[in-house]
Short mmCIF file of all heavy atoms in Angstrom, two decimals:
data_model
loop_
_atom_site.label_atom_id
_atom_site.label_comp_id
_atom_site.label_asym_id
_atom_site.label_seq_id
_atom_site.Cartn_x
_atom_site.Cartn_y
_atom_site.Cartn_z
N VAL L 227 -0.52 24.26 -25.14
CA VAL L 227 -0.38 23.98 -26.57
C VAL L 227 -1.66 24.30 -27.33
O VAL L 227 -1.62 24.74 -28.48
CB VAL L 227 0.04 22.51 -26.76
CG1 VAL L 227 -0.12 22.08 -28.21
CG2 VAL L 227 1.48 22.30 -26.31
N GLY L 235 5.99 28.98 -35.08
CA GLY L 235 6.69 29.29 -33.84
C GLY L 235 7.59 28.16 -33.40
O GLY L 235 7.97 27.28 -34.18
N PHE L 237 6.82 25.80 -31.25
CA PHE L 237 6.13 24.51 -31.22
C PHE L 237 6.30 23.79 -32.54
O PHE L 237 6.56 22.58 -32.58
CB PHE L 237 4.65 24.69 -30.90
CG PHE L 237 3.91 23.38 -30.82
CD1 PHE L 237 3.81 22.70 -29.62
CD2 PHE L 237 3.32 22.82 -31.95
CE1 PHE L 237 3.14 21.47 -29.56
CE2 PHE L 237 2.65 21.61 -31.90
CZ PHE L 237 2.57 20.93 -30.69
N PRO L 245 8.81 14.81 -32.82
CA PRO L 245 7.39 14.65 -32.45
C PRO L 245 7.18 13.62 -31.35
O PRO L 245 6.31 13.79 -30.50
CB PRO L 245 6.73 14.24 -33.76
CG PRO L 245 7.84 13.70 -34.62
CD PRO L 245 9.06 14.46 -34.23
N ALA L 255 4.83 11.33 -19.79
CA ALA L 255 5.86 10.30 -19.62
C ALA L 255 7.23 10.92 -19.40
O ALA L 255 8.11 10.30 -18.80
CB ALA L 255 5.89 9.39 -20.85
N GLY L 275 0.17 38.39 -26.18
CA GLY L 275 0.84 39.51 -25.53
C GLY L 275 1.71 39.06 -24.38
O GLY L 275 1.48 38.00 -23.76
N THR L 276 2.70 39.88 -24.09
CA THR L 276 3.66 39.54 -23.04
C THR L 276 3.02 39.46 -21.66
O THR L 276 3.39 38.61 -20.85
CB THR L 276 4.79 40.59 -23.03
OG1 THR L 276 5.37 40.66 -24.32
CG2 THR L 276 5.88 40.21 -22.03
N ALA L 284 5.27 32.20 -13.76
CA ALA L 284 5.67 31.75 -12.43
C ALA L 284 4.96 30.44 -12.06
O ALA L 284 5.56 29.52 -11.51
CB ALA L 284 5.38 32.82 -11.40
N ALA L 286 3.79 28.23 -14.18
CA ALA L 286 4.34 27.18 -15.02
C ALA L 286 5.68 26.69 -14.46
O ALA L 286 5.96 25.49 -14.47
CB ALA L 286 4.52 27.69 -16.45
N LEU L 308 22.04 11.30 -14.48
CA LEU L 308 23.47 11.26 -14.77
C LEU L 308 23.72 10.89 -16.23
O LEU L 308 24.63 11.44 -16.87
CB LEU L 308 24.17 10.26 -13.84
CG LEU L 308 24.18 10.62 -12.35
CD1 LEU L 308 24.88 9.53 -11.55
CD2 LEU L 308 24.84 11.97 -12.12
N ARG L 368 19.26 19.57 -10.67
CA ARG L 368 18.37 18.46 -10.34
C ARG L 368 19.12 17.32 -9.68
O ARG L 368 18.60 16.66 -8.76
CB ARG L 368 17.65 18.00 -11.62
CG ARG L 368 16.62 19.00 -12.09
CD ARG L 368 16.11 18.73 -13.50
NE ARG L 368 15.42 17.46 -13.61
CZ ARG L 368 14.82 17.04 -14.73
NH1 ARG L 368 14.83 17.85 -15.81
NH2 ARG L 368 14.22 15.87 -14.78
N GLU L 424 21.67 17.61 -38.17
CA GLU L 424 22.64 18.45 -38.84
C GLU L 424 21.97 19.77 -39.24
O GLU L 424 20.81 19.81 -39.61
CB GLU L 424 23.14 17.75 -40.11
CG GLU L 424 23.96 16.51 -39.81
CD GLU L 424 25.19 16.82 -38.98
OE1 GLU L 424 25.78 17.91 -39.17
OE2 GLU L 424 25.56 15.99 -38.14
N GLU L 490 28.42 20.55 -1.86
CA GLU L 490 29.63 21.31 -1.54
C GLU L 490 30.30 21.82 -2.81
O GLU L 490 30.87 22.92 -2.82
CB GLU L 490 30.60 20.42 -0.75
CG GLU L 490 30.09 20.02 0.63
CD GLU L 490 30.99 18.99 1.29
OE1 GLU L 490 32.13 19.36 1.65
OE2 GLU L 490 30.56 17.82 1.41
N PRO L 534 24.72 44.19 -12.02
CA PRO L 534 24.93 44.57 -13.42
C PRO L 534 26.34 45.02 -13.76
O PRO L 534 26.89 44.61 -14.80
CB PRO L 534 23.92 45.70 -13.63
CG PRO L 534 22.80 45.36 -12.69
CD PRO L 534 23.47 44.78 -11.48
N GLY L 550 34.33 34.56 -26.40
CA GLY L 550 33.21 35.43 -26.74
C GLY L 550 31.85 34.79 -26.53
O GLY L 550 30.90 35.45 -26.12
N ASP L 552 31.00 32.59 -24.27
CA ASP L 552 30.70 32.62 -22.84
C ASP L 552 30.34 34.03 -22.40
O ASP L 552 29.42 34.22 -21.59
CB ASP L 552 31.91 32.13 -22.04
CG ASP L 552 32.14 30.63 -22.20
OD1 ASP L 552 31.20 29.93 -22.62
OD2 ASP L 552 33.26 30.17 -21.92
N GLY L 569 17.19 49.62 -15.95
CA GLY L 569 17.26 51.06 -16.13
C GLY L 569 18.05 51.74 -15.03
O GLY L 569 18.89 52.62 -15.29
N ILE L 586 26.89 48.66 -23.16
CA ILE L 586 26.85 47.22 -23.39
C ILE L 586 25.63 46.59 -22.72
O ILE L 586 24.91 45.78 -23.30
CB ILE L 586 28.14 46.56 -22.88
CG1 ILE L 586 29.31 46.91 -23.79
CG2 ILE L 586 27.98 45.04 -22.79
CD1 ILE L 586 30.65 46.42 -23.28
N GLU L 625 13.93 48.80 -37.84
CA GLU L 625 12.60 48.39 -37.41
C GLU L 625 12.50 48.36 -35.89
O GLU L 625 11.49 48.80 -35.32
CB GLU L 625 12.25 47.02 -37.98
CG GLU L 625 10.86 46.54 -37.60
CD GLU L 625 10.54 45.18 -38.18
OE1 GLU L 625 11.43 44.60 -38.85
OE2 GLU L 625 9.43 44.70 -37.96
N ARG L 626 13.54 47.84 -35.23
CA ARG L 626 13.52 47.82 -33.77
C ARG L 626 13.49 49.25 -33.21
O ARG L 626 12.80 49.52 -32.22
CB ARG L 626 14.75 47.07 -33.24
CG ARG L 626 14.82 46.98 -31.71
CD ARG L 626 13.64 46.19 -31.13
NE ARG L 626 13.58 44.87 -31.67
CZ ARG L 626 14.31 43.83 -31.23
NH1 ARG L 626 15.13 43.99 -30.23
NH2 ARG L 626 14.19 42.65 -31.78
#
Side-chain angles (χ1 to χ4, degrees):
V227 167
F237 181 90
T276 304
L308 294 179
R368 289 167 63 176
E424 293 300 325
E490 294 172 69
D552 289 341
I586 288 174
E625 182 180 2
R626 180 63 57 83

